Amino acid sequence: MVESWVGSMSRLLPRAIRESGHEFTFLTRDLHHYLRSAPEGTAHPLLGARHVITADTNDTEALLPRVERLHAVLGVDGVLTSCDYYLPTVAAVAERLGLPGPSAQGVRDACRKDATRRVLADAGVPGPRFAVHEEWAELARAAREIGYPLVVKPVDLCAGMYVRRVDDEGQLADAVRALAGFPVNARGQRRVPAVLLEELLDGPEVSVETVSHAGAVQVVGVTDKSVGGAPAFIETGHMFPADLPAARAEAAEQTALAALKALGLTEGVVAHTEIKLTSAGPRVVEVNPRPAGNRITELIRHVTGIDLAAAFVDVCLGRAPDLGRTDTGLRSAAVGFLVPDRAGTLEALDGSGLRSRPDVLEVQLAEPGRQVKAAGSNNEYLGHVMAGDAEGTGARARVEALLAEVRSGLVIR
């Protein structure tokens, strides 16, 4: 495993590896990044690795020969990561070592939003009108050609960071200036200065979760998404399966499959493809060549019994994943996130009364005393609530009611 996110997947992947009867070596450039994220008094699950090795994971060219030497000693059977910033590195390592994995070029293209746009446009996969530039004069001209309102995106960040709706040239200038002030990402990697401008698409957004093995791509299902925090695009909740007519779900699935085929991601990858269901038909937002975040994998497990973390481990080893569904007793599951709208110190937040309710699956909330800032991306949540519905697609409404209870006791000063 080359690096990891420090959220839920940093626990789910080590568990899946262990429960599948495997063990892993963990490569990181900064072990303290993970030690700081562990709950007080506990060891981080990533430290359950058989070996923890410090290496400069940001220098792929230097890392490749070192991994070759480690492979000669340890006999690695697969390589993976949950962190978007290291997906291209992992694909390069798998390619160098002759291990199972998706196309390295396909992963690089998927992890660069501008490259994704070009590849999909060339293949005729529907998406928004777009332009990519570095210089202000070209950006301003392209924005006028596309037409306001539009969306400004970095080409190489994730979690909605610095993605903004802009309605005029003044807001565009502010968004470009803010992005230029973040030249290095959270993992110490220097960013590409290019800015992606996209047509603002109408309609709801969903994601299509897929697993690719042996040249075949299997759709696990479609997840819905709620978004808030304008002018940012912050994910405020999800439900699986999405409450959609069969024809619209099928259209989203076929669009996602076309995008994966165009990128060459039909082998050894669990993917999370985001789709806008516009008035003109489905449009690709982005393709993520890794399992979904924000607890979506757990929503799927609660409803279908399918463990996408375990499937990820399997396909990274070149093995057929178990995608058989079981009767879990739930027809839908939803998660809602507590998104702060102001800065300050968290003084009160209590969801203890929710945990004993029969339809509640998870409650995780921040502890009082935490410093809070108004959310600008998916990185500032104060916690989440997850619930299920055994009868139909009522899980989202249930979660929204539970979150309203939590918000009533939220105090930030």
Short mmCIF file of all heavy atoms in Angstrom, two decimals, residues 8-31:
data_model
loop_
_atom_site.label_atom_id
_atom_site.label_comp_id
_atom_site.label_asym_id
_atom_site.label_seq_id
_atom_site.Cartn_x
_atom_site.Cartn_y
_atom_site.Cartn_z
N SER A 8 -12.22 7.03 6.34
CA SER A 8 -12.75 5.68 6.54
C SER A 8 -12.00 4.62 5.75
O SER A 8 -11.83 3.49 6.22
CB SER A 8 -14.23 5.64 6.19
OG SER A 8 -14.44 5.97 4.83
N MET A 9 -11.51 4.95 4.55
CA MET A 9 -10.83 3.94 3.75
C MET A 9 -9.50 3.51 4.38
O MET A 9 -9.01 2.40 4.12
CB MET A 9 -10.61 4.43 2.32
CG MET A 9 -10.31 3.33 1.32
SD MET A 9 -11.54 1.99 1.24
CE MET A 9 -12.95 2.84 0.54
N SER A 10 -8.92 4.36 5.23
CA SER A 10 -7.69 3.96 5.92
C SER A 10 -7.95 2.89 6.96
O SER A 10 -7.01 2.24 7.44
CB SER A 10 -7.02 5.17 6.58
OG SER A 10 -7.75 5.61 7.72
N ARG A 11 -9.21 2.69 7.30
CA ARG A 11 -9.59 1.59 8.19
C ARG A 11 -10.18 0.42 7.40
O ARG A 11 -9.94 -0.74 7.72
CB ARG A 11 -10.60 2.08 9.23
CG ARG A 11 -10.05 3.16 10.15
CD ARG A 11 -11.04 3.60 11.19
NE ARG A 11 -12.19 4.31 10.62
CZ ARG A 11 -12.18 5.60 10.32
NH1 ARG A 11 -11.09 6.32 10.51
NH2 ARG A 11 -13.26 6.17 9.81
N LEU A 12 -10.97 0.75 6.37
CA LEU A 12 -11.65 -0.30 5.61
C LEU A 12 -10.67 -1.16 4.82
O LEU A 12 -10.82 -2.39 4.75
CB LEU A 12 -12.67 0.32 4.66
CG LEU A 12 -13.87 1.01 5.32
CD1 LEU A 12 -14.74 1.69 4.26
CD2 LEU A 12 -14.69 0.02 6.13
N LEU A 13 -9.66 -0.53 4.19
CA LEU A 13 -8.73 -1.32 3.39
C LEU A 13 -7.87 -2.26 4.24
O LEU A 13 -7.75 -3.45 3.89
CB LEU A 13 -7.84 -0.41 2.55
CG LEU A 13 -8.31 -0.12 1.13
CD1 LEU A 13 -7.25 0.69 0.38
CD2 LEU A 13 -8.62 -1.40 0.37
N PRO A 14 -7.24 -1.80 5.33
CA PRO A 14 -6.50 -2.76 6.17
C PRO A 14 -7.38 -3.90 6.66
O PRO A 14 -6.95 -5.06 6.72
CB PRO A 14 -5.99 -1.90 7.33
CG PRO A 14 -5.86 -0.53 6.75
CD PRO A 14 -7.03 -0.41 5.80
N ARG A 15 -8.64 -3.58 7.01
CA ARG A 15 -9.55 -4.65 7.45
C ARG A 15 -9.81 -5.64 6.33
O ARG A 15 -9.78 -6.87 6.53
CB ARG A 15 -10.88 -4.03 7.89
CG ARG A 15 -11.87 -5.04 8.47
CD ARG A 15 -13.29 -4.54 8.38
NE ARG A 15 -13.78 -4.54 6.99
CZ ARG A 15 -14.88 -3.94 6.59
NH1 ARG A 15 -15.62 -3.26 7.44
NH2 ARG A 15 -15.25 -4.00 5.32
N ALA A 16 -10.06 -5.13 5.12
CA ALA A 16 -10.33 -6.02 3.99
C ALA A 16 -9.12 -6.89 3.67
O ALA A 16 -9.27 -8.08 3.35
CB ALA A 16 -10.72 -5.18 2.77
N ILE A 17 -7.93 -6.31 3.75
CA ILE A 17 -6.71 -7.10 3.50
C ILE A 17 -6.58 -8.21 4.52
O ILE A 17 -6.34 -9.38 4.18
CB ILE A 17 -5.48 -6.18 3.52
CG1 ILE A 17 -5.52 -5.22 2.32
CG2 ILE A 17 -4.19 -6.99 3.52
CD1 ILE A 17 -4.49 -4.10 2.38
N ARG A 18 -6.78 -7.86 5.77
CA ARG A 18 -6.65 -8.86 6.85
C ARG A 18 -7.72 -9.94 6.74
O ARG A 18 -7.42 -11.15 6.84
CB ARG A 18 -6.75 -8.15 8.20
CG ARG A 18 -6.56 -9.08 9.40
CD ARG A 18 -6.67 -8.33 10.71
NE ARG A 18 -8.02 -7.80 10.93
CZ ARG A 18 -8.37 -6.52 10.82
NH1 ARG A 18 -7.46 -5.61 10.50
NH2 ARG A 18 -9.61 -6.13 11.04
N GLU A 19 -8.98 -9.55 6.51
CA GLU A 19 -10.06 -10.53 6.45
C GLU A 19 -9.97 -11.42 5.22
O GLU A 19 -10.55 -12.51 5.20
CB GLU A 19 -11.41 -9.80 6.49
CG GLU A 19 -11.69 -9.16 7.85
CD GLU A 19 -13.04 -8.45 7.90
OE1 GLU A 19 -13.70 -8.36 6.84
OE2 GLU A 19 -13.42 -7.99 8.99
N SER A 20 -9.24 -10.95 4.19
CA SER A 20 -9.03 -11.77 3.00
C SER A 20 -7.86 -12.74 3.17
O SER A 20 -7.52 -13.47 2.24
CB SER A 20 -8.80 -10.87 1.78
OG SER A 20 -9.93 -10.07 1.53
N GLY A 21 -7.22 -12.71 4.34
CA GLY A 21 -6.12 -13.62 4.62
C GLY A 21 -4.78 -13.14 4.13
O GLY A 21 -3.84 -13.93 4.00
N HIS A 22 -4.64 -11.83 3.86
CA HIS A 22 -3.40 -11.28 3.35
C HIS A 22 -2.74 -10.38 4.40
O HIS A 22 -3.31 -10.07 5.44
CB HIS A 22 -3.67 -10.45 2.09
CG HIS A 22 -4.47 -11.17 1.05
ND1 HIS A 22 -4.08 -12.36 0.49
CD2 HIS A 22 -5.68 -10.87 0.50
CE1 HIS A 22 -4.99 -12.76 -0.38
NE2 HIS A 22 -5.97 -11.88 -0.39
N GLU A 23 -1.54 -9.95 4.10
CA GLU A 23 -0.84 -8.95 4.90
C GLU A 23 -0.22 -7.95 3.93
O GLU A 23 -0.10 -8.23 2.74
CB GLU A 23 0.22 -9.59 5.79
CG GLU A 23 1.23 -10.44 5.03
CD GLU A 23 2.12 -11.24 5.96
OE1 GLU A 23 1.83 -11.27 7.18
OE2 GLU A 23 3.09 -11.81 5.48
N PHE A 24 0.15 -6.78 4.44
CA PHE A 24 0.63 -5.75 3.54
C PHE A 24 1.80 -4.98 4.12
O PHE A 24 2.05 -4.97 5.32
CB PHE A 24 -0.52 -4.77 3.20
CG PHE A 24 -0.98 -3.88 4.32
CD1 PHE A 24 -0.58 -2.56 4.40
CD2 PHE A 24 -1.84 -4.36 5.30
CE1 PHE A 24 -1.02 -1.73 5.43
CE2 PHE A 24 -2.29 -3.56 6.33
CZ PHE A 24 -1.87 -2.23 6.39
N THR A 25 2.55 -4.38 3.20
CA THR A 25 3.62 -3.44 3.53
C THR A 25 3.10 -2.05 3.23
O THR A 25 2.47 -1.82 2.19
CB THR A 25 4.86 -3.74 2.67
OG1 THR A 25 5.38 -5.02 3.04
CG2 THR A 25 5.94 -2.68 2.88
N PHE A 26 3.36 -1.12 4.13
CA PHE A 26 2.88 0.25 3.97
C PHE A 26 4.06 1.18 3.70
O PHE A 26 4.99 1.26 4.48
CB PHE A 26 2.14 0.69 5.24
CG PHE A 26 1.54 2.06 5.17
CD1 PHE A 26 0.71 2.41 4.11
CD2 PHE A 26 1.77 2.99 6.17
CE1 PHE A 26 0.14 3.68 4.04
CE2 PHE A 26 1.21 4.25 6.11
CZ PHE A 26 0.39 4.61 5.05
N LEU A 27 4.00 1.88 2.55
CA LEU A 27 5.03 2.85 2.17
C LEU A 27 4.49 4.26 2.37
O LEU A 27 3.41 4.58 1.86
CB LEU A 27 5.45 2.68 0.71
CG LEU A 27 6.61 1.74 0.41
CD1 LEU A 27 6.27 0.32 0.84
CD2 LEU A 27 6.97 1.78 -1.07
N THR A 28 5.24 5.10 3.08
CA THR A 28 4.82 6.47 3.30
C THR A 28 6.03 7.38 3.44
O THR A 28 7.09 6.96 3.88
CB THR A 28 3.94 6.59 4.57
OG1 THR A 28 3.62 7.97 4.78
CG2 THR A 28 4.66 6.06 5.79
N ARG A 29 5.84 8.62 3.03
CA ARG A 29 6.91 9.61 3.20
C ARG A 29 6.80 10.32 4.54
O ARG A 29 7.72 11.03 4.94
CB ARG A 29 6.87 10.63 2.06
CG ARG A 29 5.62 11.48 2.02
CD ARG A 29 5.54 12.32 0.76
NE ARG A 29 6.53 13.37 0.76
CZ ARG A 29 6.33 14.59 1.26
NH1 ARG A 29 5.17 14.90 1.82
NH2 ARG A 29 7.26 15.50 1.19
N ASP A 30 5.66 10.19 5.23
CA ASP A 30 5.43 10.94 6.47
C ASP A 30 4.52 10.13 7.38
O ASP A 30 3.30 10.28 7.37
CB ASP A 30 4.81 12.31 6.16
CG ASP A 30 4.56 13.13 7.41
OD1 ASP A 30 5.07 12.76 8.50
OD2 ASP A 30 3.84 14.15 7.31
N LEU A 31 5.11 9.27 8.20
CA LEU A 31 4.33 8.41 9.08
C LEU A 31 3.51 9.23 10.07
O LEU A 31 2.40 8.84 10.46
CB LEU A 31 5.26 7.46 9.83
CG LEU A 31 4.59 6.42 10.74
CD1 LEU A 31 3.62 5.56 9.95
CD2 LEU A 31 5.64 5.56 11.43
#
